[in-house]
Amino acid sequence: MLKKGFWIGVGLFILYAVGIWWYLFYASPQEIPNAIRGSVADPNTFMTNQEIELSYEYSRLKHFFFFIITPFEWILYAVIIIFPLSKTFKQWANEITKFKFFQVMIYVFAFSFTLFVTMLPLKWFSYQISISYGVSVTPFSVWMRDNITSFLLNYIMLVAIALWLNWIMNRSPNKWWIYSWFLSIPFTFSVIFIQPVLIDPLYNDFSTLQNKELESEILSLAQEANIPAEHVYEVKMSAKTNSLNAYVNGIGPNTRIVLWDTTLAKLNKGSILFIMAHEMAHYVYKHVLLGVSLSILFSFIGFWIVGKIVKGIKERFEESLHINGNNLLVLPIVLMIFSILIFISSPISNYVSREMERAADSYAIELTEDKDAAISAFQQLTTSGLSEVQPPTLVYWFRYRHPSMLERIGKLSYMSEEKSFTNQK
């Protein structure tokens, strides 16, 4: 019964993939509203015809891979759970050692390595697309190193999760999910606290901003926003990408103001200050804490749903899935359900994120009083990343944590025209 359901799922996945391809490349042509044509929000005014064509092709291919990779991962989980590789991994671990701790480490390694190796070709194709369109310039060795780093970090985290689940499910078979939710709260805050100083440097090289005059101006903005920062950090991203970015992350003394070196190279000072003011707005409005709080709230619902589903699966399929009395084999099921829930709920989280980004845009405009610099920044961000100014609706719901560039530039254009009209009066 489970294997039959699996093959039905594979068939539905193929139909889904074909449907997504049709939707992106045939049912959603790139069209600019007539009201925007000729304005600063119209890509024809700041991008060449070739850049517009490349942005369309590149964006649609990246969107396609996004919509395909996550459901494909669900199929891998199902293969591991149903066929059953999970039981085989556990048997290997039991044969190698009698120590429970090392059995967990071996099982998780076999499980996570299988996922890693199977997903790698898809990630490689996505990487090659970015290379071929000139958005990424990451050497293969660096790309592979970053993937291995991510694998090792995920492996450490999964070992901790597996040890916890194996222990808590034995002691509280019905309430394990709520204890797990409680434990996730301090874990979430600790990751945000340590990420700027421990995790981010594993992937990129950071240094204090070399342009001290610019650093002084950025820190002046930070002082107005009451951000406890003594330095602005520059991260060397030009060896990996042509895209632009900047951000403020961390909590308290670990707060970091960061600029990509590509942003420094391609934007003028006014645009850089606007972008930094935008990022600082997230700190001023406590968007990080708000986002974490909402994440904790929704994760409670997620843990409750996972608890109910896992209980139902164990009651109905415990024997056929070989998970009777072996809570370690529940790990792939828990991860698969969470992955599905996160994907399904992404339109909600993206909507909340877009509202935060709109508030940050307004704050930055008020603080810098330089709409031209803002318009220029958004145009450069679009061009350098070959982004679509107006994505398809489905893409906007599931992928866009920021308003579309058409919205952002269009709003600034309207404000500029309104100001010009007021001055004429």
Side-chain angles (χ1 to χ4, degrees), residues 364-382:
I365 293 165
E366 291 176 9
L367 188 63
T368 61
E369 297 181 340
D370 194 346
K371 297 181 183 66
D372 291 336
I375 290 170
S376 177
F378 288 142
Q379 290 176 338
Q380 287 281 357
L381 284 167
T382 303

Side-chain angles (χ1 to χ4, degrees), residues 199-345:
I199 298 176
D200 290 347
L202 294 175
Y203 294 91
N204 301 300
D205 295 327
F206 289 78
S207 62
T208 55
L209 187 60
Q210 300 300 307
N211 187 335
K212 295 304 175 184
E213 181 182 346
L214 179 60
E215 182 182 48
S216 177
E217 293 191 50
I218 293 173
L219 290 176
S220 294
L221 292 176
Q223 188 174 9
E224 291 186 48
N226 293 318
I227 295 177
E230 297 180 358
H231 298 286
V232 177
Y233 290 87
E234 177 181 341
V235 56
K236 188 177 181 181
M237 293 298 296
S238 55
K240 291 185 174 182
T241 182
N242 288 318
S243 296
L244 314 180
N245 198 13
Y247 56 88
V248 177
N249 68 348
I251 299 176
N254 279 17
T255 301
R256 293 290 186 272
I257 302 173
V258 180
L259 274 165
W260 287 11
D261 63 343
T262 51
T263 304
L264 291 166
K266 295 182 181 181
L267 296 186
N268 58 41
K269 185 173 72 173
S271 294
I272 291 173
L273 291 176
F274 169 79
I275 288 176
M276 295 314 303
H278 168 96
E279 297 303 328
M280 291 173 190
H282 293 307
Y283 183 93
V284 173
Y285 293 141
K286 296 180 172 55
H287 284 164
V288 173
L289 293 177
L290 177 60
V292 171
S293 300
L294 290 173
S295 174
I296 291 170
L297 173 62
F298 283 113
S299 69
F300 175 83
I301 300 172
F303 273 104
W304 177 77
I305 293 172
V306 170
K308 292 292 184 181
I309 295 176
V310 168
K311 183 180 179 181
I313 290 174
K314 291 180 75 173
E315 289 175 351
R316 188 172 181 183
F317 302 109
E318 192 170 45
E319 293 295 332
S320 56
L321 292 179
H322 310 282
I323 58 177
N324 45 312
N326 196 337
N327 292 318
L328 188 57
L329 302 188
V330 177
L331 177 66
I333 299 173
V334 170
L335 294 177
M336 179 180 179
I337 299 169
F338 265 117
S339 178
I340 293 171
L341 291 177
I342 290 170
F343 185 81
I344 292 173
S345 64

Side-chain angles (χ1 to χ4, degrees), residues 115-126:
L115 284 176
F116 174 74
V117 171
T118 311
M119 294 292 293
L120 199 61
L122 276 178
K123 293 180 179 179
W124 181 81
F125 277 118
S126 182

Side-chain angles (χ1 to χ4, degrees), residues 16-31:
Y16 162 81
V18 172
I20 288 294
W21 182 272
W22 173 81
Y23 173 77
L24 291 174
F25 288 93
Y26 297 98
S28 303
Q30 190 176 40
E31 294 180 354

